[in-house]
């Protein structure tokens, strides 16, 4: 497991979250002069995006995030995203938050599977950050926060070897390995099967620095080429014209990580059969996790340093529904397997309460994460609401 994976996982999932929220907020926005008090306007959308991005790129938060550390459980990370999603006047019901997280994780999983070479995970991250900068281009202070994280990414990751990036990619794949949630966009584009598994292409550009397959060269003991043999490949491969830019500005070339919701399309999610089986066995391993207390201390440090903006005065939060109707949202909440739902417990993660946080949650029985059981998750989940 790589100790440098967490920042890349967090930023890419966060980027996907922002894509989805922006698309849904735009779809539900009403022109300002026509909107009632309880309806979204474009001003509200910009405020929500600015508040969430400002929280996501909080300096203290990023300092904690970039410290070398192992990945924590899916439910622990989900805690952070619930906190971020509610960092403004927007409020999501549990079913909508579940759907949001499903879409985030499956989109990034697909990108990790498709990246031509492990180092290209960094280009995927840069694509997300480029798009995030476009969301806040009218807010110089927030834009500067994103640029600071950009520079930190370049400083931390540009110097890593290909082997270290391969380890990062394997760590990400282990994290996602048991997640097979069907997404309508992927199903429609025929890149996902009905069981929730992705279909990987056998054609297209080869990784930068490699040659198109079809030629075998034989060398003697002196390193001199002595024979060539050509063979026919099943795919149609092409050589990339140039490498994507790993600098603050530039053409990334790679399109993975860009906003696939820029064109309005349905984004329904469905539990695949394998995920239902996973849910039915989620309670098998109930041994307490010895790392639980350390993990929750980590979350307390992260979340305790965030300055969440709450609706002030008599202002109420706006509810965002990721489903077409309220009835669909209610049905999704009722039919989701209990083992995959995220119970809500309110936790104060301020510095004064860190010890109590560890004591309360450290007493919970938590299924210890294993490489072969990623995704079965622990029951310690917390949706950090109202901190």
């Amino acid at each position: 497991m790589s100790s440098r994976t967490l920042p890349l996982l967090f930023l890419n999932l966060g980027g996907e979250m922002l894509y989805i929220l922006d698309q849904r907020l735009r779809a539900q926005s009403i022109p300002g002069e026509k909107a009632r008090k309880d309806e979204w306007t474009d001003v509200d959308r910009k405020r929500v995006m600015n508040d969430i991005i400002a929280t996501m790129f909080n300096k203290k938060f990023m300092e904690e995030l970039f410290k070398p550390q192992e990945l924590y459980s899916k439910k622990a990370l989900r805690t952070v995203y619930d906190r971020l999603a509610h960092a403004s006047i927007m409020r999501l019901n549990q079913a909508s938050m579940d759907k949001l997280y499903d879409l985030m994780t499956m989109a990034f999983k697909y990108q990790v599977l498709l990246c031509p070479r492990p180092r290209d995970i960094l280009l995927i991250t840069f694509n997300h950050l480029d798009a995030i900068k476009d969301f806040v281009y009218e807010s110089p202070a927030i834009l500067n926060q994103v640029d600071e994280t950009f520079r930190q990414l370049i400083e931390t990751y540009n110097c890593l070897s290909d082997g270290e990036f391969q380890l990062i990619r394997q760590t990400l794949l282990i994290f996602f390995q048991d997640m097979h949630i069907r997404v309508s966009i992927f199903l429609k584009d025929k890149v996902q099967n009905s069981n929730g598994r992705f279909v990987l292409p056998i054609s297209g550009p080869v990784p930068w620095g490699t040659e198109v397959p079809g030629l075998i060269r034989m060398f003697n003991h002196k390193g001199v080429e002595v024979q060539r043999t050509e063979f026919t490949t099943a795919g149609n491969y092409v050589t990339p014209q140039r490498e994507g830019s790993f600098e603050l500005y530039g053409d990334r070339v790679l399109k993975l990580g860009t906003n696939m919701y820029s064109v309005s399309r349905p984004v329904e999610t469905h539990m695949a059969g394998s995920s239902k089986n996973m849910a039915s066995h989620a309670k098998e391993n109930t041994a307490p996790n010895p790392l639980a207390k350390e993990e929750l201390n980590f979350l307390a440090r992260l979340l305790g340093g965030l300055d969440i903006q709450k609706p002030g005065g008599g202002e109420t939060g706006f509810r965002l529904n990721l489903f077409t109707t309220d009835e669909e949202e209610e049905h999704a909440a009722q039919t989701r397997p209990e083992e995959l739902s995220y119970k809500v417990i309110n936790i104060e993660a301020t510095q004064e309460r860190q010890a109590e946080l560890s004591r309360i949650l450290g007493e919970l029985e938590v299924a210890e994460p294993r490489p072969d059981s990623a995704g079965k998750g622990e029951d310690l989940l917390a949706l950090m609401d109202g901190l």
Side-chain angles (χ1 to χ4, degrees), residues 74-90:
K74 294 178 178 65
K75 290 188 176 182
L77 286 174
R78 161 64 188 266
T79 299
V80 178
Y81 291 112
D82 186 87
R83 179 96 151 97
L84 286 174
H86 293 91
S88 186
I89 59 174
M90 181 185 68

Side-chain angles (χ1 to χ4, degrees), residues 226-289:
V226 296
Q227 183 181 347
R228 287 191 174 196
T229 303
E230 295 185 357
F231 63 94
T232 303
T233 61
N236 182 22
Y237 301 100
V238 295
T239 304
Q241 298 298 312
R242 61 191 183 281
E243 184 180 26
S245 172
F246 287 88
E247 302 302 325
L248 185 59
Y249 302 100
D251 183 3
R252 312 301 174 193
V253 179
L254 193 70
K255 298 305 179 185
L256 297 174
T258 55
N259 191 351
M260 68 177 177
Y261 306 102
S262 54
V263 177
S264 181
R265 298 194 285 182
V267 286
E268 295 301 315
T269 57
H270 313 274
M271 296 304 292
S274 56
S275 294
K276 292 178 182 177
N277 292 336
M278 176 194 75
S280 66
H281 297 294
K283 293 182 178 180
E284 287 182 1
N285 185 355
T286 58
N289 179 4

Side-chain angles (χ1 to χ4, degrees), residues 171-210:
T171 304
L172 289 170
L173 291 176
I174 290 171
F175 180 83
F176 289 124
Q177 67 179 348
D178 284 335
M179 303 183 72
H180 307 296
I181 301 166
R182 293 178 292 148
V183 177
S184 61
I185 289 179
F186 296 139
L187 293 170
K188 183 179 179 181
D189 292 343
K190 300 187 184 304
V191 298
Q192 192 179 32
N193 290 324
S194 58
N195 62 3
R197 296 183 183 274
F198 288 110
V199 180
L200 301 183
I202 59 171
S203 298
V206 297
W208 175 260
T210 63

Side-chain angles (χ1 to χ4, degrees), residues 202-359:
I202 59 171
S203 298
V206 297
W208 175 260
T210 63
E211 298 180 7
V212 172
L215 177 66
I216 299 175
R217 301 175 185 174
M218 303 294 291
F219 297 84
N220 61 19
H221 66 284
K222 295 181 179 179
V224 178
E225 183 179 330
V226 296
Q227 183 181 347
R228 287 191 174 196
T229 303
E230 295 185 357
F231 63 94
T232 303
T233 61
N236 182 22
Y237 301 100
V238 295
T239 304
Q241 298 298 312
R242 61 191 183 281
E243 184 180 26
S245 172
F246 287 88
E247 302 302 325
L248 185 59
Y249 302 100
D251 183 3
R252 312 301 174 193
V253 179
L254 193 70
K255 298 305 179 185
L256 297 174
T258 55
N259 191 351
M260 68 177 177
Y261 306 102
S262 54
V263 177
S264 181
R265 298 194 285 182
V267 286
E268 295 301 315
T269 57
H270 313 274
M271 296 304 292
S274 56
S275 294
K276 292 178 182 177
N277 292 336
M278 176 194 75
S280 66
H281 297 294
K283 293 182 178 180
E284 287 182 1
N285 185 355
T286 58
N289 179 4
L291 298 178
K293 191 169 183 178
E294 178 186 349
E295 177 174 310
L296 293 162
N297 276 329
F298 162 75
L299 283 177
R301 290 197 305 273
L302 281 184
L303 301 178
L306 294 184
D307 181 20
I308 299 297
Q309 299 190 23
K310 299 180 181 179
E315 185 181 22
T316 57
F318 285 84
R319 187 172 78 85
L320 180 66
N321 186 353
L322 265 72
F323 295 83
T324 307
T325 64
D326 289 345
E327 289 74 16
E328 287 185 18
E329 183 181 51
E330 183 178 350
H331 177 72
Q334 293 174 349
T335 57
R336 188 176 181 86
E338 184 179 354
E339 292 83 356
L340 293 180
S341 294
Y342 299 94
K343 307 291 191 303
V344 179
I345 54 177
N346 294 324
I347 301 172
E348 292 185 26
T350 58
Q351 186 173 0
E352 295 79 8
R353 295 293 301 278
Q354 287 184 22
E356 186 174 353
L357 168 69
S358 298
R359 180 184 62 78

